Amino acid sequence: MTRRLDAQMTFLTEACKLKSVNRATTLCDGSRRENSGEHSWHIALYAMTLAEHAPGNVDISRVIQMLLIHDLVEIDAGDAPVFGSHDATAIEAEERAAAQRIFGLLPEGQGTVFLDLWTEFEANQSPDAQFAKSLDRFQPPNQNLASGGGSWVEYKVDYPTIEARVGNKIANGAPALWDWIAPRIQAWFGR
Amino acid sequence: MTRRLDAQMTFLTEACKLKSVNRATTLCDGSRRENSGEHSWHIALYAMTLAEHAPGNVDISRVIQMLLIHDLVEIDAGDAPVFGSHDATAIEAEERAAAQRIFGLLPEGQGTVFLDLWTEFEANQSPDAQFAKSLDRFQPPNQNLASGGGSWVEYKVDYPTIEARVGNKIANGAPALWDWIAPRIQAWFGR
């Protein structure tokens, strides 16, 4: 038991580094960039708060656990801003290697459980993963609306780009949330 | 449904402010103070990772939800460092008022559920609350060990003070975790 705990504590101390990975999105007050640790907290709180807008077959406790670990790979791979241009295949390989290293710090059986949960999130096929992925895409536009544009201004994006890169993923797992925010984003661009 | 969602989004945007509340503890690398948003993420991850060290009657999903909301009152009341000197009654009143305001942003029934969960955490009587409270006290000494002393140095505390203010609460909800860290803290002070 002590050796399992040693491994778990190594993992949890390594996880601390996620607080130093910065994202493109700023805080709601625009004062600084958001980091991936606090972002992970915020969207887990989104899941807890918005559970009633998930399809009926979604297990919100699994969604929350997925969201708590979904960004840990960024400790090695960094954050790839959604409006940036990337080599998707290269990022995927880098994130997969990161997942194996980081979840590999855990005791053997537990590392596999965490890795499987992360893989399920990335695949975006199960209802839990689709709702989790929707929340991950739904939070940044809310922060941009609150801060006066945020990463939309920095990356010079327009509404059709947001609809294509973000809207489809939100609508896929949480149609009610996309219906709610789409007109607000349109109004912002038409201001 | 839309009016419920309006209220939930007001709450979630208000919650963003927790990322700007700084704590006494630094990050594991000592580079800056930790904020209460990323701290809440980290201890929710602690709960997920250390679930096997909880007493058998603990519902880890409820613990995680408690930890996601436990610090929101700090948006109004600020963080009261565990080694600082405070008027406990005044803080309690301030935090209670904050809880009523912040959870009061939610739709009526949901606000009550969140407020009850926060009240249960604060009371530290149920097995779920006791385990959650243990994790909230267990994470900072781990960060201090990693960063080379952190808030122990700043507040000039000694081992008996830590045992009294932190150790008892950790041992209360998670004896295995106190057994694990107590000799490490003693070794640090005896270095």
Side-chain angles (χ1 to χ4, degrees):
Chain A
M1 205 62 164
T2 303
R3 280 171 63 189
R4 283 184 64 86
L5 186 47
D6 286 345
Q8 288 159 339
M9 293 314 299
T10 301
F11 167 78
L12 287 168
T13 299
E14 180 70 14
C16 193
K17 294 180 183 167
L18 193 61
K19 303 166 193 167
S20 302
V21 175
N22 284 330
R23 296 166 45 79
T25 314
T26 67
L27 301 191
C28 295
D29 65 4
S31 59
R32 62 167 172 82
R33 285 185 193 275
E34 182 180 52
N35 71 60
S36 294
E38 61 201 3
H39 162 75
S40 297
W41 162 72
H42 205 184
I43 58 174
L45 185 65
Y46 267 62
M48 181 176 164
T49 306
L50 302 177
E52 69 195 54
H53 307 287
N57 53 348
V58 165
D59 176 344
I60 209 70
S61 297
R62 288 191 82 239
V63 169
I64 290 173
Q65 297 204 6
M66 254 180 213
L67 292 173
L68 291 175
I69 65 162
H70 84 293
D71 267 348
L72 283 169
V73 293
E74 296 182 358
I75 290 171
D76 291 352
D79 178 63
V82 71
F83 301 122
S85 50
H86 314 287
D87 177 346
T89 314
I91 290 176
E92 212 178 293
E94 217 178 331
E95 291 189 344
R96 159 71 36 189
Q100 280 164 343
R101 180 187 77 76
I102 295 163
F103 299 129
L105 298 172
L106 287 163
E108 202 176 317
Q110 189 173 29
T112 309
V113 171
F114 279 45
L115 182 62
D116 288 350
L117 197 62
W118 176 82
T119 304
E120 180 182 336
F121 172 80
E122 283 297 309
N124 198 22
Q125 295 298 320
S126 72
D128 291 351
Q130 287 174 338
F131 189 63
K133 188 72 86 174
S134 294
L135 297 176
D136 191 33
R137 292 288 187 274
F138 180 58
Q139 182 245 20
N142 279 297
Q143 310 234 140
N144 282 350
L145 286 172
S147 70
S151 61
W152 296 335
V153 176
E154 187 182 353
Y155 285 87
K156 299 185 178 62
V157 292
D158 53 13
Y159 181 77
T161 306
I162 294 173
E163 194 169 30
R165 297 220 189 167
V166 173
N168 291 343
K169 282 231 170 69
I170 300 175
N172 184 46
L177 301 183
W178 179 241
D179 289 348
W180 185 84
I181 202 167
R184 287 170 168 80
I185 302 175
Q186 283 175 305
W188 190 86
F189 278 96
R191 75 198 184 284
Chain B
M1 205 62 165
T2 303
R3 281 171 62 190
R4 282 183 65 84
L5 187 47
D6 286 346
Q8 288 159 339
M9 293 313 301
T10 300
F11 167 78
L12 287 168
T13 300
E14 180 70 14
C16 193
K17 294 179 182 166
L18 193 62
K19 302 167 193 167
S20 302
V21 175
N22 285 331
R23 295 166 46 79
T25 315
T26 67
L27 301 191
C28 296
D29 65 4
S31 57
R32 62 167 172 81
R33 285 184 193 276
E34 182 180 51
N35 72 60
S36 294
E38 62 202 3
H39 163 74
S40 297
W41 162 71
H42 205 185
I43 58 175
L45 185 66
Y46 267 62
M48 181 177 165
T49 306
L50 302 176
E52 70 195 55
H53 307 287
N57 53 350
V58 165
D59 177 344
I60 209 70
S61 298
R62 287 191 82 241
V63 169
I64 290 173
Q65 297 204 6
M66 254 179 212
L67 293 173
L68 291 175
I69 65 162
H70 84 292
D71 266 347
L72 283 170
V73 295
E74 296 182 358
I75 290 171
D76 290 353
D79 179 63
V82 73
F83 301 120
S85 49
H86 314 288
D87 177 345
T89 313
I91 290 178
E92 211 177 296
E94 218 179 330
E95 291 190 344
R96 160 69 39 188
Q100 279 163 344
R101 182 189 75 76
I102 295 164
F103 298 131
L105 299 172
L106 287 163
E108 203 175 315
Q110 190 174 29
T112 310
V113 171
F114 279 46
L115 182 61
D116 287 351
L117 198 62
W118 176 81
T119 305
E120 180 182 337
F121 172 81
E122 283 297 310
N124 199 22
Q125 294 299 321
S126 72
D128 291 351
Q130 286 173 338
F131 189 63
K133 189 72 86 175
S134 294
L135 297 177
D136 191 32
R137 291 288 187 274
F138 180 57
Q139 182 246 20
N142 278 298
Q143 310 234 139
N144 283 350
L145 286 172
S147 70
S151 61
W152 296 334
V153 177
E154 187 182 354
Y155 285 87
K156 297 185 179 60
V157 294
D158 54 13
Y159 182 78
T161 307
I162 295 173
E163 194 169 30
R165 296 220 188 167
V166 172
N168 291 344
K169 282 230 170 69
I170 300 175
N172 184 45
L177 300 183
W178 178 242
D179 289 347
W180 185 85
I181 203 166
R184 288 170 169 80
I185 301 175
Q186 283 175 305
W188 190 86
F189 279 95
R191 77 199 183 281

